[in-house]
Amino acid sequence: MSDLDALTRLATLGTARAPEPGDLEGIAAQAFRALEGLSPEKRLLLAAGVRAVAQAAGHPLPQRAPPEGAASPDTLDVCPPRVSALLTELLVSHDTEVLREGFGRMAQARRRLPPELLPRVLSLQEPSLRRAAEPVLGERGRWLSRLNPAWRSFGITSPTHLSEMERLWTEGTLEERCTVLAATRLADPARARAWLEGTFPQEKAEHRARFLACFEQELSAEDEPLLELGRKDRSSSVRDVARGLLAQLPGSAFSRRMTERARAVLLWEPHSGLNIQFPARWDAEAERDGLDKPPPGTGQHAHWLIRLLACVPPSSWEAWFSASPERLVAAAGRTDEGVALSEGWAQALRLEASPAWAAALLSFWPRLDAKVLEPERAQSLSMTVFEHLPLEERSSRTLRILRGQDALPSLERALALTPAPWPVTLGRAWLQALREQDTPSPRALALVGSLRHAALALPFECLEAASESFELTSPLFQGNPALQRFQQTVSQRRILHQELTP
């Protein structure tokens, strides 16, 4: 029995039943004898510790290649000490959002990280953080990243990095492969396409759908043959992704077929409005294009209308019918398929953003009876429209919702979907609304629910006002940790702004 086995046997049996380890040898035996006089329990534990230290000390050192020379002199100034202290705090607390903003502010101010933070930053795993940190590594950081395989994904243009990316695509987990494919798609679309073409038939259905979804970035006509494979896939989730991407290619065969069918189905008569007329039967390709059986809870005609209209840019209907979005949406409301028509147009906004169509649809849904369109369904549809609005229009609509001038989407959802930084007008209105809350209400709850997002989205012009104490009497705010974190984040962002503004 080995030395370790002897110690293990003694620990298993207990020192009361077997006070001596018996055939113990080596460094553990020497330690056990030298500790004579102590209790059996202490002798056992200390001998095991001595043996572990001896084994660790005798472990061979890893062989590393010699470094490729010294780092080049840094060309950027190091960040101010106050920023360095704040970055340390953010790295310890894993506050990724403020950390990402901090890296971005440093890059704008042309500052770099201090040397003592480089190992910790180079070890970050979150892809967006690594991308944000790359411009602030400095020459020393980039030199260090080449010495450790775990740090080499910094430096996207280096041959070493590309080799590592391909290795991850071949050998990585699903998440790693998706991350690598999406990043390569942005830097080299043809390479990403070649990777996926080489493995597509062998991938699992879930993987095929995830990988194809990465092609929304840098989508081009060259992707059509691969997307056609997806359109004919045996998995419905893969077909959905492929059709959605093919619809975004105006010249694709799929897009042309769906447009021709939509024009044949939806007719316009200036005096009577919209008329819906389905063919007696679809052509052989229609089912593979998505004109198949509806999901539970959706009528057959509604399903076809949504699928057809989602593939046609909304402005096309304005041109074909010489009618405004407001007039067309109103006409849809007078048909039996008003909700389906509006949903199809809402989905089509991902092909072509249109504030006019968004305004018409967001005004249409609140007028419908809850039996025709359930409130939660109206919220879901409104978010589809809201997410495809240009950022300026989205902020403007959120301000109107905050002021009670619009109803959809809800205040909390609109605030959450309005990305940072908010316009100054919206930031000030949000702060004023928050300070006015003195009783629990749906509006107060929405504002409390938006505290974290607001802390990150408020523009710098609003940070001083946001740092002032809140004299709120509502129980929603008394001792609320979300409010405390809000003010902590606002203070951290103020430091970044003050220290890194030229």
Side-chain angles (χ1 to χ4, degrees):
M1 183 175 289
S2 67
D3 293 346
L4 181 60
D5 289 336
L7 288 176
T8 302
R9 182 180 60 187
L10 179 59
T12 303
L13 294 175
T15 52
R17 296 179 59 188
E20 294 297 329
D23 54 355
L24 189 64
E25 295 179 351
I27 188 71
Q30 294 175 32
F32 205 84
R33 287 194 296 272
L35 296 168
E36 190 172 2
L38 298 179
S39 67
E41 294 80 8
K42 283 188 176 180
R43 292 179 73 191
L44 169 64
L45 292 173
L46 289 171
V50 167
R51 188 177 186 282
V53 171
Q55 287 178 332
H59 194 276
L61 291 173
Q63 298 295 317
R64 290 184 181 273
E68 49 184 77
S72 303
D74 271 307
T75 56
L76 303 177
D77 291 334
V78 72
C79 64
R82 204 172 170 210
V83 173
S84 176
L86 175 58
L87 292 175
T88 304
E89 178 184 336
L90 295 171
L91 285 164
V92 170
S93 63
H94 302 289
D95 194 334
T96 57
E97 292 98 340
V98 185
L99 197 55
R100 192 180 302 111
E101 179 173 340
F103 291 151
R105 296 285 300 175
M106 286 175 60
Q108 289 176 355
R110 296 188 55 74
R111 296 299 186 101
R112 63 177 167 84
L113 291 163
E116 62 271 21
L117 289 186
L118 287 174
R120 191 186 288 267
V121 172
L122 287 168
S123 300
L124 290 170
Q125 297 298 313
E126 209 277 313
S128 68
L129 270 183
R130 293 171 73 85
R131 287 193 295 273
E134 188 164 352
V136 299
L137 293 176
E139 296 298 333
R140 187 193 304 245
R142 280 187 279 278
W143 176 80
L144 276 175
S145 72
R146 296 194 290 271
L147 302 183
N148 186 337
W151 297 345
R152 282 181 186 164
S153 65
F154 284 97
I156 191 167
T157 57
S158 72
T160 303
H161 173 69
L162 292 175
S163 173
E164 176 64 10
M165 296 274 277
E166 189 156 9
R167 186 193 68 77
L168 281 174
W169 166 251
T170 305
E171 303 173 6
T173 65
L174 173 60
E175 295 305 323
E176 288 173 336
R177 297 182 73 201
C178 285
T179 299
V180 162
L181 187 65
T184 305
R185 183 68 187 170
L186 290 173
D188 190 347
R191 182 187 297 268
R193 185 169 55 248
W195 282 355
L196 187 53
E197 284 173 339
T199 66
F200 194 77
Q202 292 80 43
E203 305 285 357
K204 295 179 181 176
E206 175 196 355
H207 297 194
R208 293 197 298 275
R210 293 278 304 276
F211 295 151
L212 269 188
C214 297
F215 278 55
E216 186 158 14
Q217 301 287 343
E218 304 297 327
L219 187 66
S220 71
E222 285 73 23
D223 299 320
E224 187 174 358
L226 179 58
L227 297 177
E228 274 294 311
L229 283 179
R231 185 182 69 89
K232 299 172 184 175
D233 199 276
R234 59 185 180 276
S235 164
S236 62
S237 60
V238 179
R239 294 198 300 271
D240 286 344
V241 174
R243 286 194 297 256
L245 294 175
L246 284 167
Q248 296 179 49
L249 292 175
S252 71
F254 169 80
S255 180
R256 292 197 302 271
R257 287 195 300 272
M258 293 299 274
T259 299
E260 289 171 5
R261 293 178 187 127
R263 289 204 66 178
V265 165
L266 193 60
L267 308 173
W268 174 252
E269 297 174 4
H271 299 295
S272 57
L274 289 172
N275 185 23
I276 302 166
Q277 185 174 342
F278 288 103
R281 58 182 303 176
W282 293 110
D283 57 55
E285 198 70 20
E287 186 170 350
R288 281 192 291 191
D289 283 344
L291 301 179
D292 48 11
K293 293 181 180 178
T298 303
Q300 183 67 80
H301 287 178
H303 176 62
W304 287 342
L305 281 173
I306 293 168
R307 284 280 170 89
L308 287 168
L309 268 60
C311 296
V312 181
S315 63
S316 298
W317 300 107
E318 296 176 63
W320 293 332
F321 296 163
S322 299
S324 67
E326 186 177 13
R327 191 178 175 196
L328 290 170
V329 172
R334 292 190 288 274
T335 71
D336 294 336
E337 301 290 353
V339 173
L341 289 168
S342 66
E343 180 170 349
W345 282 325
Q347 291 190 17
L349 289 177
R350 68 191 165 87
L351 308 178
E352 175 190 74
S354 169
W357 274 94
L361 292 167
L362 291 171
S363 299
F364 171 64
W365 290 317
R367 297 199 299 267
L368 297 180
D369 190 279
K371 294 180 180 177
V372 177
L373 180 64
E374 295 178 352
E376 192 54 39
R377 181 67 180 149
Q379 283 291 338
S380 176
L381 288 172
S382 69
M383 288 171 63
T384 301
V385 170
F386 195 76
E387 287 175 320
H388 296 301
L389 281 175
L391 295 183
E392 185 177 351
E393 177 66 21
R394 206 182 306 180
S395 302
S396 176
R397 177 161 287 273
T398 300
L399 182 60
R400 292 198 294 274
I401 294 170
L402 186 62
R403 289 171 172 169
Q405 298 166 339
D406 280 314
L408 289 176
S410 68
L411 176 57
E412 186 170 3
R413 292 175 179 179
L415 289 168
L417 292 173
T418 303
W422 289 349
V424 175
T425 309
L426 176 59
R428 287 174 177 161
W430 182 89
L431 281 170
Q432 181 181 351
L434 184 69
R435 293 183 186 281
E436 290 173 351
Q437 303 309 305
D438 53 7
T439 56
S441 65
R443 180 179 172 82
L445 284 171
L447 292 167
V448 169
S450 65
L451 277 169
R452 179 58 184 166
H453 185 60
L456 298 164
L458 285 173
F460 295 118
E461 293 86 343
C462 295
L463 295 183
E464 183 176 352
S467 300
E468 297 171 1
S469 63
F470 283 74
E471 296 178 0
L472 301 169
T473 58
S474 171
L476 281 174
F477 297 101
Q478 299 300 319
N480 190 326
L483 184 60
Q484 295 170 6
R485 190 181 182 197
F486 165 81
Q487 294 202 297
Q488 179 189 28
T489 300
V490 166
S491 299
Q492 291 168 338
R493 295 185 61 221
R494 278 190 77 193
I495 291 173
L496 292 173
H497 178 62
Q498 291 167 348
E499 297 291 332
L500 295 172
T501 299

